[in-house]
Amino acid sequence: MSEKTKTSEECSRRQFFTHISITLGSLAALMVGIPIVGSVLAPIVNKPKPIWRPVGELRSFTLDEYVKVNFVDASPLPWAGITAETAAWVRRSKNDELTVFSVNCAHLGCPVRWVSGAKLFMCPCHGGVYYSDGTVAAGPPPRGLYSYPVRIKDGQVEIKTSPIPITTVL
Amino acid sequence: MKFFNNAWNWFEDRTGLMGALWPIMTHAVPKNSASWFYVFGSATMFAFLLQIATGVTLAFMYVPSAGEAYQSLEFITNQTHFGRIVRGLHNWGASAMILLVGIHMIRVYLTASYKFPREMNWITGVVLLSLTIIMAFSGQVVRWDQTAVWSMIVASEQAGRIPFIGQWVAQFLIGGETIGGATLSRMFAYHVFIVPALLIIFLVFHLYLVIKNGISEFPKAGEPVDPKTYREKYEASVKRDGVPFWPVAAWRDMVFGFIVITTILLIAIIIGPPDLGAPPNPSNIDALPVPDWYFIFYFAFLALMPPPMETVLMVFGPLLVGLLLFALPFISNRGERSPLRRPWAVAMVALTIGSISGLWAIGISSPWSPHFDAKPLTVEIIGTDSGPVYRGGEHFNDKGCLYCHTISGHGGLRGPNLTYIGDRLSANELTWRIMNGGLNMPGFGGTLTNDELSDLVSFLKSRKHVNPQPSSSGGD
């Protein structure tokens, strides 16, 4: 039908068809979009409950020396395999005080190593260095090492599972 | 023969495919665009097609499960007939694609082909470049070894610096609060579904625009683009002495494409895929997550930027570069196209290549990193096997000095070379520096005993030129 023969009734009829088509299409997309977007965003909404993981007998930790301990994340998926493992640096001092640091550098998350002779934590990536109390000694880290909650239960050192520390601003 | 002819005629009659595509294949293009300068876009596309073919092949054998992907990669590499070559093709194909997309972009920029009416060609190209970079990174992650795990963490930490929403973005990327079962499945979905789909969509759009606006003529100095007259002039010149794209222009694309694909195949066969690192165990901290070669320059950038400006550079740097690239055709969409009349454009390209190469060269040696595997100083280097100088040399090995300082070729590069430090600093100055640190050196006042300190100073004082030339001016 050409423009000339279009009546005003015809126009509103076409407008109606246009509107209903676009509305229905958008509605369908919106409806299926909710479960889709929901599934994709699930990991930032569903937080696993932190749990205490035993990492060794208190007495087995050398005095005044950092030791790396491995433990399993809060609630690993069945197919996570070795990726469910994580690590922390633990030091036992006098009076059985415990210090636990994340292995992740506060700069960009690379794994810091305890260099026993120098009594420093050193990061292999961008040169971050920390003193034994976790404060920044050199390099780019904007803050000291992150510590993890720790407790002693029945002679066992237990670490509370925690997220990978993300250094944020604002 | 007659049967095939009839069958073909029937097919063409019912589909009309040849009738629709042939005129596009053979459309007239400017004579001087049939040039070796114009082969890089198609070569990038050929590399992409190779990535699709090899990627799909790898998907036949790869298991996108955080706990099993590593074993499946070992299987592909070592226990299948052609898996090693296919992995090699996919890896070096990615390298080629990055390299070629870069060269293509430089060519388009130097000949100012982004100017009127091809602004959208450029913009879709920038989108394709970003998607290619995302593919390159996610590809390194689905090569699920220890480096992949730590690269994933480093990338998420960078995303974490985005103001306000950083934590969410980081955990969105990791797929939770820690590396785990969800991380790889999500990266796999990006790498094989989402980003390739977007790449194909934008590639088709990009090619459509190339046909719609015509391949740009090779620029001549003194023939500026004027949006009012450009299209008319272009059409007239194509009508006057244009050549059919297929095969007069396209044969060069085919020859260069052939060379590219053959080179990738040869490298895949001779060098093979990159070695798998250690298994993806986040509790294994014996890692140095250096990215693949094409990201090394950015790795160096991350290490070298001044810490106070770090967050700004990390978050807004890439954003600014992206915005500038998008804005380019709006900043200048008319005027001279020839690089001979655009010295600043040439300078920009030189500057960019120069900085990237510089960062790249530094990134390879990573002088900012302590060298944990530095060879200890030997008795020969220390020069004695007893006494304070010897003990100081041993402390130099044991107390971490060696990781950052080089003496006689042994040690790291982070701090100054101390081979002749005895000529430069007095015992007091040495003591002060070791105790307090400075610049990027930690202070060792809290960790060294007095004896250790004095031994170390004796050792460092002994690091002098063997026959110091006494100079009348007191030396420098």
Side-chain angles (χ1 to χ4, degrees), chain B residues 119 199 257 310:
Chain B
E119 294 96 332
L199 265 173
E310 186 173 79

Side-chain angles (χ1 to χ4, degrees), chain B residues 419-420 422-423 461-471:
Chain B
T419 308
Y420 302 117
D423 293 339
K461 255 335 267 177
S462 71
R463 298 301 102 186
K464 290 171 183 264
H465 284 90
V466 185
N467 294 311
Q469 299 293 317
S471 84

Side-chain angles (χ1 to χ4, degrees), chain B residues 68 107 122 206 210 277 310 359 447 450 459 472:
Chain B
E68 287 155 341
R107 196 283 293 162
W122 173 267
H206 196 67
V210 170
E310 186 173 79
L359 284 169
T447 47
N450 283 342
F459 166 69
S472 51

Side-chain angles (χ1 to χ4, degrees), chain B residues 196-441:
Chain B
L198 291 171
L199 265 173
I200 291 170
I201 291 169
F202 276 92
L203 176 60
V204 170
F205 191 16
H206 196 67
L207 291 176
Y208 160 79
L209 290 168
V210 170
I211 308 279
K212 153 95 172 65
N213 293 317
I215 293 178
S216 69
E217 73 281 15
F218 198 83
K220 285 197 201 85
E223 287 186 9
V225 172
D226 178 359
K228 284 201 197 82
T229 55
Y230 179 81
R231 279 197 165 118
E232 246 168 71
K233 268 164 101 180
Y234 179 82
E235 271 155 37
S237 97
V238 165
K239 210 168 264 172
R240 194 171 56 244
D241 59 358
V243 293
F245 174 72
W246 179 271
V248 180
W251 74 268
R252 286 186 181 80
D253 295 297
M254 298 308 286
V255 169
F256 187 68
F258 177 81
I259 295 170
V260 166
I261 299 289
T262 316
T263 311
I264 297 171
L265 180 63
L266 280 178
I267 297 176
I269 293 170
I270 296 167
I271 302 181
D275 287 333
L276 281 178
N281 186 341
S283 74
N284 178 1
I285 60 160
D286 191 11
L288 176 52
V290 177
D292 282 0
W293 67 268
Y294 36 81
F295 286 136
I296 296 250
F297 81 93
Y298 196 69
F299 172 77
F301 176 70
L302 289 176
L304 292 177
M305 54 193 171
M309 298 178 61
E310 186 173 79
T311 294
V312 176
L313 286 174
M314 219 169 350
V315 176
F316 297 102
L319 202 68
L320 187 70
V321 171
L323 276 179
L324 277 177
L325 286 177
F326 272 112
L328 175 68
F330 302 106
I331 296 170
S332 77
N333 78 333
R334 59 184 67 215
E336 285 286 348
R337 280 186 53 206
S338 168
L340 300 173
R341 295 285 171 88
R342 294 164 57 243
W344 285 106
V346 179
M348 273 299 286
V349 170
L351 185 70
T352 308
I353 295 179
S355 348
I356 288 183
S357 316
L359 284 169
W360 193 66
I362 303 171
I364 287 176
S365 65
S366 302
W368 51 83
S369 286
H371 288 192
F372 294 114
D373 51 1
K375 284 192 297 262
L377 303 184
T378 58
V379 174
E380 287 75 44
I381 293 174
I382 298 171
T384 166
D385 58 2
S386 62
V389 169
Y390 170 73
R391 289 196 303 271
E394 287 293 297
H395 294 325
F396 192 86
N397 285 337
D398 299 339
K399 301 289 179 190
C401 315
L402 182 77
Y403 295 154
C404 296
H405 293 285
T406 293
I407 286 184
S408 307
H410 291 221
L413 305 169
R414 166 104 210 194
N417 186 317
L418 302 184
T419 308
Y420 302 117
I421 188 66
D423 293 339
R424 296 203 301 272
L425 295 183
S426 70
N428 278 341
E429 287 166 331
L430 282 167
T431 309
W432 193 89
R433 180 58 59 86
I434 295 170
M435 294 285 283
N436 298 301
L439 288 174
N440 261 320
M441 177 173 163

